[in-house]
């Protein structure tokens, strides 16, 4: 079971099937998924994809957290993930997706920072990565604000991305 977290403005709790509809609606917003590959235009495949993601066990201390504002604790604003990825090489990836209503408020940075701390301090991950579409400037800014460092450019299925990483040693230097 994943832990719950609270930040100054947010509540993060493990994502569960009760979050399905809110996640589905968020994914159906084409502005939210502009830079993210997925089955967003095929309702049946999208539902299957989301169900699989919600029900999968990602490993001890790994998974998805739903994000809620403390001032409106029932209002879903997005999620943050910390999951294994094999896309390029075996790694632990951090990522985030927020509803448009939450954009520009610093919520992704605030939430991702606490998940990053969890990854290094509790799960004892050696290295965290993020692979971000080259056009997604706001997500790259979040990666930089939480300490991830640009490693290089990548390409997946014809889509250019920026690859970021942070080791536990670098994390503890940045955030003693």
């Amino acid at each position: 079971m994943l832990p719950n977290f609270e930040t100054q403005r947010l509540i993060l709790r493990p994502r569960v099937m009760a979050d399905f509809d809110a996640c589905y609606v968020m994914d159906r917003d084409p502005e939210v998924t502009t830079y993210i590959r997925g089955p967003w235009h095929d309702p049946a495949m999208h539902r299957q994809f989301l169900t699989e993601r919600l029900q999968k066990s990602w490993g001890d201390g790994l998974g998805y957290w739903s994000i809620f504002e403390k001032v409106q604790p029932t209002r879903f604003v997005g999620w943050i993930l910390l999951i294994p990825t094999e896309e390029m090489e075996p790694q632990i990836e951090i990522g985030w997706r927020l509803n448009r209503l939450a954009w520009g408020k610093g919520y992704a940075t605030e939430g991702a920072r606490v998940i990053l701390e969890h990854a290094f301090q509790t799960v004892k991950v050696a290295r965290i990565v993020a692979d971000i579409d080259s056009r997604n400037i706001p997500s790259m800014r979040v990666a930089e604000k939480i300490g991830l460092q640009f490693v290089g450019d990548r390409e997946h299925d014809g889509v250019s991305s920026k690859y970021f990483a942070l080791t536990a040693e670098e994390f503890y230097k940045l955030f003693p």
Side-chain angles (χ1 to χ4, degrees):
M1 181 86 181
L2 295 176
N4 293 316
F5 297 103
E6 285 194 25
T7 67
Q8 182 178 350
R9 302 176 297 159
L10 305 173
I11 298 167
L12 287 82
R13 64 161 174 73
R15 191 167 78 156
V16 295
M17 282 305 291
D19 300 327
F20 182 94
D21 290 339
C23 291
Y24 184 79
V25 169
M26 180 177 66
D27 288 349
R28 300 295 294 165
D29 182 337
E31 287 191 47
V32 170
T33 56
T34 296
Y35 305 117
I36 304 158
R37 290 176 284 153
W40 322 129
H41 302 294
D42 182 326
M45 286 182 66
H46 184 184
R47 287 182 179 284
Q48 179 182 351
F49 171 84
L50 186 52
T51 299
E52 289 171 2
R53 287 279 171 145
L54 282 160
Q55 293 177 338
K56 184 172 181 169
S57 174
W58 297 97
D60 289 342
L62 304 176
Y64 283 77
W65 286 263
S66 291
I67 307 167
F68 301 88
E69 294 172 309
K70 280 187 175 178
V71 295
Q72 279 189 286
T74 59
R75 185 168 156 192
F76 174 86
V77 297
W79 53 254
I80 296 177
L81 64 77
L82 185 66
I83 62 172
T85 179
E86 299 280 336
E87 191 163 306
M88 294 161 288
E89 54 192 274
Q91 300 280 343
I92 300 298
E93 176 183 21
I94 191 168
W96 43 85
R97 187 172 313 158
L98 277 71
N99 281 309
R100 273 193 283 161
L101 65 95
W103 291 1
K105 296 181 179 183
Y107 288 169
T109 301
E110 188 174 328
R113 174 68 194 281
V114 74
I115 299 303
L116 194 65
E117 289 172 6
H118 164 74
F120 289 122
Q121 294 173 355
T122 305
V123 184
K124 305 295 186 197
V125 170
R127 185 172 188 247
I128 300 289
V129 299
D131 194 34
I132 302 169
D133 186 295
S134 296
R135 300 164 295 173
N136 193 344
I137 304 299
S139 277
M140 286 187 269
R141 297 278 185 266
V142 170
E144 291 167 348
K145 286 178 186 176
I146 64 171
L148 274 73
Q149 299 167 16
F150 176 70
V151 175
D153 294 306
R154 303 231 180 192
E155 188 172 316
H156 307 283
D157 300 326
V159 177
S160 172
S161 67
K162 302 287 184 184
Y163 189 66
F164 292 81
L166 183 67
T167 66
E169 182 179 332
E170 293 165 340
F171 172 80
Y172 288 114
K173 285 180 184 174
L174 288 170
F175 308 105

